[in-house]
């Protein structure tokens, strides 16, 4: 098996998807943010209070914008029209978990869009809370599941 984005001349290249079937493709990714007591104290059971506004809501908007711009940020990604981009955000203990699920009908998967969405949401969470905790840690960014392409994937399966 070889890397999909390297051609015969060992150069970076966009994958040719012209022969692939159009299918419904879905991917879910997550990012985690570990925070200190000061940030945790701002959680009201649904969102975080911030001078900049509601943290989870703003992070979700930023994540959605990021998912839609993935091909502009990652050089070899195909531009994809997203049929859907949804988020789940939760908080327990000292950890926020942000999940992004992207869906498209096309010839290539939406893993990178889901990963970008989760990452941008986590970065926005950090930006909105950094005054209380500049040592927050964004971690555990990973693909949880993908379906609809040549091979499906499920983490921990």
């Amino acid at each position: 098996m070889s890397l999909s984005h390297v051609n015969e001349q060992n150069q970076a290249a966009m994958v040719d998807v012209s022969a692939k079937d159009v299918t419904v493709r879905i991917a879910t990714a997550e990012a985690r943010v570990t925070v200190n007591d000061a940030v945790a104290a701002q959680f009201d059971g649904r969102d975080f209070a911030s001078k900049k506004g509601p943290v989870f809501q703003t992070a979700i908007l930023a994540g959605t914008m990021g998912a839609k711009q993935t091909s502009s940020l990652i050089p070899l990604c195909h531009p994809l029209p997203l049929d859907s981009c949804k988020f789940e955000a939760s908080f327990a203990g000292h950890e926020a978990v942000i999940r992004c699920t992207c869906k498209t009908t096309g010839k290539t998967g939406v893993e990178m869009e889901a990963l970008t969405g989760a990452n941008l949401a986590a970065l926005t969470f950090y930006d909105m809370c950094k005054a209380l905790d500049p040592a927050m840690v964004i971690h555990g960014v990973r693909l949880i599941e993908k379906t609809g392409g040549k091979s499906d994937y499920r983490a921990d399966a």
Side-chain angles (χ1 to χ4, degrees):
M1 182 174 244
S2 62
L3 296 173
S4 61
H5 287 80
V6 178
N7 67 17
E8 297 81 21
Q9 292 78 37
N10 204 32
Q11 298 169 331
M14 184 181 269
V15 174
D16 182 354
V17 298
S18 60
K20 291 185 174 187
D21 292 330
V22 173
T23 61
V24 174
R25 295 160 186 266
I26 302 170
T28 301
E30 79 175 13
R32 295 171 177 265
V33 186
T34 301
V35 303
N36 67 12
D37 290 338
V39 173
Q42 302 302 307
F43 187 62
D44 67 8
R46 293 184 310 144
D47 207 335
F48 290 81
S50 164
K51 290 181 181 180
K52 294 182 177 183
V55 176
F56 275 150
Q57 290 178 39
T58 305
I60 288 167
L61 290 173
T64 302
M65 291 174 65
K68 294 189 319 183
Q69 294 298 315
T70 299
S71 66
S72 297
L73 300 169
I74 301 175
L76 301 177
C77 283
H78 292 83
L80 295 178
L82 293 181
D83 297 332
S84 175
C85 183
K86 297 180 180 177
F87 284 82
E88 295 175 22
S90 61
F91 186 78
H94 285 77
E95 186 173 74
V97 178
I98 302 166
R99 285 196 173 189
C100 176
T101 299
C102 291
K103 179 180 179 182
T104 193
T105 304
K107 293 184 173 197
T108 189
V110 290
E111 300 94 322
M112 297 310 298
E113 287 73 12
L115 285 160
T116 300
N119 268 297
L120 260 289
L123 286 167
T124 300
F125 183 101
Y126 179 97
D127 180 51
M128 295 189 72
C129 299
K130 67 187 177 198
L132 295 176
D133 184 6
M136 281 178 285
V137 178
I138 297 171
H139 61 98
V141 178
R142 64 184 183 136
L143 181 66
I144 300 296
E145 181 176 24
K146 78 173 190 84
T147 60
K150 182 171 61 174
S151 60
D152 292 345
Y153 169 80
R154 173 115 180 111
D156 307 324

